[in-house]
Amino acid sequence: MDEVFKMIDYFNPFEYEAANKFTVDQILDFYIEDYNYSRFIRSRRNIFLVGERGTGKTMTLLYNSLPVQQIKADRERRPIGLDLICVYIPCNTPLTHKREYQLLDDFPASVVSEHFFVLSIMHAIANTLSKVPRLLEDANETQLREDLELVLDTKLQSDRSFFEGLKMMLQREVTKAQKAINAKTADAFYENAISFSAGVMPLVTCLKKIPSLEKSHFALMLDDAHDLNPHQIKALNSWIAYRDNTIFSFKVATTKVYRPSFLTASGGQILEGHDFTMVDMEQPYQSQYSNFGKLARQVVQRRLIKIGVSKTSEKFFPANPNFEKDIEASNELARKEAERKFPNGTPKQISDYVYKYGRAEYFRQRSTRANLAPYSGFDILVHLSTGVIRNLLEPCYWMYDKVISDKHAKTTEFTHVDEIPHSVQTNVILDRSKRKWEWIREGLDKSIEGCSREQAKQLYQLFDNLAVLFRERLLKHKSEPRAIAFTISDIDYQYYHELEHLLEIARKAQILYTYTSSAKDSGKREIYYVPNRVLWPDRGLDPHGQHARVSLKARHLWAAATDNRKIPFSERDEKEKQQRGLFDEL
Amino acid sequence: MSYSGAIIMVASWEERFLFGFQRWINQSPPANALMYYYEEYAKETEKNRTQVNKLCEQKDLPLNEYKLSFNDPARSWKVLYETIKVSEMAGKRVTVDITTMPRETIWTVLDLLEEVGARVAYVYQKPERYNTEWLSRDPGRPRLVYKLAGIAQLGAPTKLIILTGYDLDRVKQLIAFFEPELSFLGIQVGDQFYNQSLNVEKHKKEFGSDPGVKLFDVDAYSNDQGFNIIEEQIKSHLEHSNFIMSSLGPKPSAVALYRLHKLHPETALAYAPSGEFNPEYSYGIGEPVVGQL
């Protein structure tokens, strides 16, 4: 069957590949502008876009890049505006990964590193502008060429167009520099290195002599900036610290865990708020009404349009009707309980009670039966994603794949998919949940950088014990049974740093996400730790979390990880935290 | 099998390291020997290194021993550079025992030897069998090899060649790290050392229907270590792509990739380090594989 299936070419609309593998058309088709971060990209501020893999950083940058916006303008039959030139600059490249600088002393290492970085930026600018038709129409190209050759002390090939000649010159330069540092000596260096102020700034100043670009602002969008070497990061921070954002600004996409330092080359530091704005791409998903919930709906809707399905996301991924019926029945039971407890209760009090205990009641009733809940429905999928778009698309991809595969088992003619049966959803969800646990148990130390076998075992024990705790709370807790996020207290504990390091590995592995929120009782910001909700179906937990978090002591978490000790449970938390309103954003 | 000139090796706790050296020293003693060892495994390799020292003393064979470090690759490169430079190997025959040599070291040693004008041969001692439970774990960050990281083209897509071994997770790690536009996986043919189940079937199942991955068969034990087949796969892509190449399969495949890099110096060699190797990595010693650069 697999052989037959491989021969069938079909389009899976839920492709969850990295965005840099998408075509321009796919980027335009799939990107949702309303709930993403375009407004930050299109500002003149320096921005750090921070989020783990799959949160949409690359997609956001690529969508806003000039070549994609050019195609968008063509589709909409309007001219492209050139007030803002968004230049996409990938940092995960073989050039960035070159490590010969490590053989050099600090100063020459920083010079060579900046040289490669600057050439990459200049090439990206030239490449981006080369895609704008008729850009040089009103320009004095001869003068432009002469000016550029003068400021960069170079010659452009006269038989090539301006931008092609510029790109070729830059390639020639980067080739010379690489050949120099590839020489088989320990101190191989390149004498003619250029800095940002000798390369990028004069280039941009020259380009602004093109009439169409006279008022343009250049947004230099660096993707995967965590791949830059330490010297390049310091150089970038120094440029950010420059803070005259008239002509250019930086939009820097980086992961949270590997987020680069904010130190500059001179030993100073760039400051959030002052030098840049930080945008956290990881959105805690709390309800269908939250921004992420709306975004998720639109993302899937767009994908369905591509396969000619006009159904809503909810209808394409219908929940098991018995599941819905039973949840509703449990909510009704909770409502009656609430009305009994609060005879004069306000509608909010009643609805809050139902929210807290309705679903928990469902899972409490299930606890006496052996089988797991029939997890299904679009709402469940969105909760399982834990606020990460790729985590939403991945199970959808495998569900669609399974339906196609099953259809072809019955007939070799391709048939239209207009729904994912709830049984398929349940099977895929449970399978992916089980695989995730298997991966934590068997695969973490084989695939996550810096994770030893011992740490992999500790992480499995930690998450296993968290699952046990959350399950016990679900079945017995008096006030917040469905809390599946936690904060950490007792940070003076002697092994707190070791625990933090373990949690950092968990974040690298994306089995744990974090976001900050305000601590109601102290007014400070505290870190919420949210285990990847895909873990919970295998353990019979409700991935539909609650607006609450459990405060856990560092010592208990450490003991759970290292000694496999159960995390203490009590039916009431020490401090009953004031619960947020149902649809409040965190 | 005969060797002359110098021998260069990296000490290991594996039996085939010592047995292999004993073979040489008895059959055709080299003129001198350079033995490197990694400080992170100094204790594990001590017994074998002591034996090598004794054998060299008995045979009146000059032996120089140098320390390298997995955690300090820059210092290790400089040690290799300095020690090979002063070893006066220009024009001389040198045999590199790649059996227990990490691939990054293989590539660096071959490169530095060719730079000083040595005439390089290599030998690889197969084991009787490998541990079937695990070989290595705790993956480190993949890295390009010093001075062998090629000449990158600005704005060109990245493509990846991996010659696979038993470690599927390591292949996934490399693909996830470099995010190539296209990956070529060369899968070793044959059923030696449970290759079918541990390598072929696993990788075909994982990547067989992945449009971003092209699979091809390769034989690291063939006369050219698979060089021609690998080059055939990639040559139409070379002009407009940045190629990164990594070897996870039989060690002779590392030689093929080295030769490919030399022919196409714009390509980059990449190493995927491991934090931990199984103390029972392999057992016994099998037939040697020898070749010339």
Side-chain angles (χ1 to χ4, degrees), chain A residues 62-86:
Chain A
L62 282 172
Y63 177 80
N64 285 285
S65 67
L66 186 61
V68 173
Q69 289 296 307
Q70 176 71 62
I71 305 284
K72 183 168 185 268
D74 291 345
R75 275 190 184 182
E76 293 167 5
R77 297 188 204 281
R78 58 171 173 82
I80 178 119
L82 294 174
D83 288 350
L84 180 70
I85 309 282
C86 289

Side-chain angles (χ1 to χ4, degrees), chain A residues 336-346 349-350 353 357:
Chain A
K336 289 198 164 93
E337 173 82 8
E339 284 162 359
R340 202 174 46 74
K341 274 190 170 169
F342 312 114
N344 300 315
T346 63
Q349 260 180 311
I350 305 293
Y353 191 94
Y357 300 110

Side-chain angles (χ1 to χ4, degrees), chain B residues 161-173:
Chain B
I161 305 167
I162 306 174
L163 305 181
T164 69
Y166 298 160
D167 197 341
L168 174 66
D169 287 312
R170 189 60 54 82
V171 172
K172 286 162 135 180
Q173 186 208 18

Side-chain angles (χ1 to χ4, degrees), chain A residues 6 17-18 20-21 53 92-95 97-100 102-104 119-120 123 170-171 174-175 178-179 181-186 188 224 226-227 258 439 443-453, chain B residues 73-74 77-78 81-82 104 111-112 115 136-155 158 167 169-170 173 176-181 208-210 242 244 262 268 276:
Chain A
K6 265 189 277 183
E17 280 282 7
N20 50 13
K21 293 205 179 151
R53 291 170 81 108
N92 184 357
T93 64
L95 187 64
H97 289 303
K98 289 177 84 73
R99 297 180 311 125
E100 282 73 21
Q102 292 174 343
L103 299 173
L104 300 171
L119 292 178
S120 300
H123 187 272
L170 293 166
Q171 182 58 52
V174 84
T175 298
Q178 289 178 85
K179 283 184 174 167
I181 66 155
N182 284 352
K184 313 286 185 243
T185 61
D224 294 324
H226 46 266
D227 282 329
Y258 286 118
W439 181 65
L444 269 187
D445 57 316
K446 292 177 196 157
S447 42
I448 299 300
E449 183 191 319
C451 179
S452 67
R453 183 68 214 134
Chain B
W77 188 90
K78 288 179 182 176
Y81 170 71
E82 292 295 336
E104 185 176 51
D111 189 38
L112 292 173
E115 182 69 13
S136 61
R137 54 194 182 196
D138 186 7
R141 195 172 164 85
R143 57 189 187 227
L144 299 188
V145 180
Y146 295 128
K147 310 296 183 175
L148 296 168
I151 312 283
Q153 288 184 63
L154 295 166
T158 301
D167 197 341
D169 287 312
R170 189 60 54 82
Q173 186 208 18
F177 183 80
F178 288 115
E179 293 185 337
E181 183 184 79
S209 54
D210 187 336
N242 288 321
I244 297 176
K262 282 296 178 178
E276 192 184 351

Side-chain angles (χ1 to χ4, degrees), chain B residues 72-93:
Chain B
D72 194 344
R75 179 163 62 85
S76 298
W77 188 90
K78 288 179 182 176
V79 168
L80 289 167
Y81 170 71
E82 292 295 336
T83 54
I84 288 174
K85 201 168 73 162
V86 304
S87 296
E88 297 174 348
M89 293 186 190
K92 294 195 177 136
R93 281 186 64 178

